[in-house]
Amino acid sequence: MTVADLGRVVLVIPTYNEVENIAEVVARVRGAARFVEILIVDDGSPDGTGALADELAAADPQVHVHHRATKEGLGAAYLDGFQVALEMGADVIGEMDADGSHQPEQLPAMLTALRHADLVIGSRWVTGGSVVNWPLGRRLLSRGGNLYVRLLLGLPVRDATAGFRLYRRSALMAAELSTVESTGYVFQTDLAWRVHRAGLRIHEVPIEFVERERGESKMSGQVARESLRNVTRWGLRERSRQVRVLAGR
């Protein structure tokens, strides 16, 4: 199987106030993988991101835009975008940040890895992966959070919170998107865990993650607390299920 055999590839890029970044990101994706289509999902950005996205789409048939009326969280934007991509007939649905932290030039390696996987994650924390311009505290928080996920959920992934991914259509269908309730960054962990529980193949590809240079980060303490609460709840529920199974109930 070759990359060309993967079929129609649609990369979902959610945006909120990314007018400084989106044009460059789109140009880099188009330069790195010409056959990949782009679906920009804008959450009603007041800074003009949506209007700029429409201009980019008007100039390039490989670029599409889906406008959402309100900002409801990263997970909600991705769920909406995934549904649109599935309705477009995509065989592979990707996701990537709009702020330049994910480098489109690494897409070809991820697409190649998808030949033998159902979900490919661009990972910061496998051998060969790295982050640029992160303070020590944030590195420790990310590594610690991912360790917590592995221990509590039994998820064999080093970077379950990563947002640079490629899913086969079948993987998203197996994840039962209609039942996903996560709205923030914990959405990434939720989807990876669902794919794992479905018995599908997950492969991590090392990437270099570069902290944004323009615009404001959407990460906050509230986002981190939501992730901790949800992962803890899921983990305790999973452990309870395992105990019942062992007890023969």
Side-chain angles (χ1 to χ4, degrees):
M1 178 185 288
T2 65
V3 170
D5 295 325
L6 292 174
R8 188 176 186 183
V9 182
V10 176
L11 184 64
V12 178
I13 304 179
T15 56
Y16 184 77
N17 287 350
E18 295 290 356
V19 72
E20 297 177 285
N21 297 307
I22 189 60
E24 179 182 343
V25 168
V26 167
R28 289 175 63 187
V29 171
R30 299 292 287 119
R34 295 294 298 177
F35 64 93
V36 171
E37 297 178 60
I38 299 168
L39 174 62
I40 300 170
V41 179
D42 186 64
D43 266 3
S45 299
D47 72 342
T49 301
L52 177 56
D54 286 335
E55 293 178 14
L56 296 173
D60 188 340
Q62 292 285 96
V63 179
H64 316 276
V65 184
H66 176 65
H67 293 279
R68 289 165 47 84
T70 57
K71 185 175 185 292
E72 297 176 327
L74 184 69
Y78 269 129
L79 285 172
D80 213 358
F82 287 168
Q83 187 58 47
V84 172
L86 290 170
E87 292 171 359
M88 290 169 61
D91 301 293
V92 173
I93 298 93
E95 57 171 275
M96 189 180 78
D97 289 350
D99 59 10
S101 57
H102 296 143
Q103 301 184 65
E105 293 76 17
Q106 296 168 329
L107 267 173
M110 295 175 63
L111 287 162
T112 298
L114 195 65
R115 293 182 298 175
H116 307 292
D118 300 290
L119 164 60
V120 169
I121 298 175
S123 176
R124 299 160 292 188
W125 306 126
V126 295
T127 301
S130 62
V131 295
V132 177
N133 296 330
W134 267 19
L136 178 61
R138 189 167 178 186
R139 290 170 184 259
L140 293 175
L141 179 63
S142 181
R143 282 185 175 275
N146 276 288
L147 176 60
Y148 188 69
V149 167
R150 290 199 304 277
L151 294 175
L152 205 60
L153 300 183
L155 179 61
V157 171
R158 303 287 298 183
D159 199 353
T161 58
F164 196 8
R165 303 183 174 196
L166 295 171
Y167 295 89
R168 286 185 180 273
R169 182 187 186 93
S170 55
L172 285 185
M173 301 299 289
E176 300 181 337
L177 297 180
S178 63
T179 67
V180 175
E181 298 179 353
S182 309
T183 58
Y185 282 76
V186 74
F187 169 83
Q188 309 293 8
T189 301
D190 192 354
L191 264 286
W193 193 39
R194 285 167 179 260
V195 171
H196 172 65
R197 284 187 297 165
L200 301 179
R201 302 163 299 173
I202 302 176
H203 183 76
E204 292 183 89
V205 172
I207 64 164
E208 180 184 66
F209 180 95
V210 181
E211 179 64 8
R212 69 159 64 232
E213 296 180 356
R214 299 183 296 271
E216 296 182 1
S217 172
K218 312 302 188 297
M219 181 60 71
S220 67
Q222 180 179 353
V223 167
R225 287 190 293 272
E226 179 206 14
S227 298
L228 180 62
R229 285 196 305 269
N230 285 1
V231 170
T232 301
R233 186 176 74 251
W234 298 335
L236 293 176
R237 187 170 59 200
E238 177 64 10
R239 292 294 178 264
S240 176
R241 184 193 67 80
Q242 292 172 351
V243 169
R244 291 197 301 272
V245 170
L246 290 173
R249 295 179 182 177

